[in-house]
């Protein structure tokens, strides 16, 4: 794994051809994509290699809004000071985890070797506008992508449940 981290190229532009989202993958590769990342994350206390070597990932477990089943998705852990938040590049619709978090904000977070209960707040309105202005100014990849799409990127604040 350490050799992967050493070989990892920092992605500084959304349009970077080496970015994982700009490469073509077969249907078979995509079908098990998250499963492999989740397995590697759990086996290595939150560290993964390959396309995400060196990145700080978290695993977000939501409850399916329709199915009621647990769904785990790896996401980049983003911070505004000590506030943990996540976002996602979107295509024509928001990812299922955003809809699930709206329907049931009780989530589980795995970050590093730690697992904890949290609430997910999908930001809207003036709160979204303020946070988005900051996030887009601070995160050039999100800003580049937002400039390419009409729909606002999802911003979800994750708050640890204590006690």
């Amino acid at each position: 794994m350490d050799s992967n981290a050493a070989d990892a190229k920092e992605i500084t532009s959304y349009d970077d051809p080496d970015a994982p989202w700009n490469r073509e993958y077969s249907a078979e590769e995509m079908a098990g994509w998250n499963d492999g990342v989740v397995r590697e994350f759990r086996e290595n206390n939150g560290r993964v290699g390959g396309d995400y070597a060196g990145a700080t990932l978290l695993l977000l477990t939501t409850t399916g809004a329709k199915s009621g089943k647990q769904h785990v998705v790896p996401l980049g852990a983003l911070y505004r000071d000590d506030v943990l938040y996540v976002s996602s590049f979107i295509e024509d619709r928001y990812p299922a985890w955003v809809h699930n978090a709206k329907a049931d904000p009780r989530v589980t977070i795995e970050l590093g070797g730690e697992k904890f209960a949290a609430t997910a707040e999908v930001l809207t309105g003036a709160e979204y506008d303020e946070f988005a202005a900051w996030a887009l100014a601070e995160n050039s990849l999100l800003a580049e992508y937002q400039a390419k799409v009409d729909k606002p990127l999802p911003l979800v604040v994750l708050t640890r449940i204590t006690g």
Side-chain angles (χ1 to χ4, degrees):
M1 169 147 345
D2 291 334
S3 64
N4 284 342
D7 295 338
K9 178 182 173 223
E10 183 178 351
I11 305 298
T12 58
S13 168
Y14 176 79
D15 293 323
D16 187 325
D18 291 328
W21 52 83
N22 287 328
R23 291 194 225 131
E24 290 189 33
Y25 299 95
S26 69
E28 294 81 27
E29 288 173 310
M30 290 307 297
W33 184 273
N34 283 349
D35 295 341
V37 174
V38 168
R39 184 174 43 259
E40 185 178 4
F41 181 101
R42 289 178 172 158
E43 289 172 354
N44 296 291
N45 288 320
R47 295 179 55 192
V48 298
D51 290 327
Y52 301 109
T56 302
L57 296 183
L58 62 78
L59 299 183
L60 175 68
T61 302
T62 60
T63 301
K66 294 180 183 176
S67 70
K69 295 180 182 178
Q70 299 289 290
H71 298 280
V72 180
V73 61
L75 296 166
L78 304 170
Y79 291 92
R80 179 178 187 181
D81 298 321
D82 61 348
V83 174
L84 176 62
Y85 73 101
V86 289
S87 187
S88 182
F89 299 137
I90 55 174
E91 300 276 333
D92 57 339
R93 62 181 185 254
Y94 290 126
W97 64 265
V98 173
H99 296 292
N100 293 345
K102 281 182 182 178
D104 184 351
R106 296 170 299 174
V107 299
T108 301
I109 305 295
E110 294 174 63
L111 183 60
E114 188 178 14
K115 184 175 184 178
F116 55 91
T119 56
E121 180 186 3
V122 180
L123 300 181
T124 60
E127 192 173 22
Y128 176 90
D129 293 341
E130 186 278 327
F131 203 99
W134 175 87
L136 297 175
E138 295 294 317
N139 187 316
S140 62
L141 295 177
L142 287 179
E144 281 184 57
Y145 192 75
Q146 181 63 85
K148 297 175 183 295
V149 297
D150 293 328
K151 188 175 280 200
L153 295 176
L155 292 172
V156 180
V157 172
L158 303 170
T159 305
R160 179 190 295 259
I161 297 173
T162 57

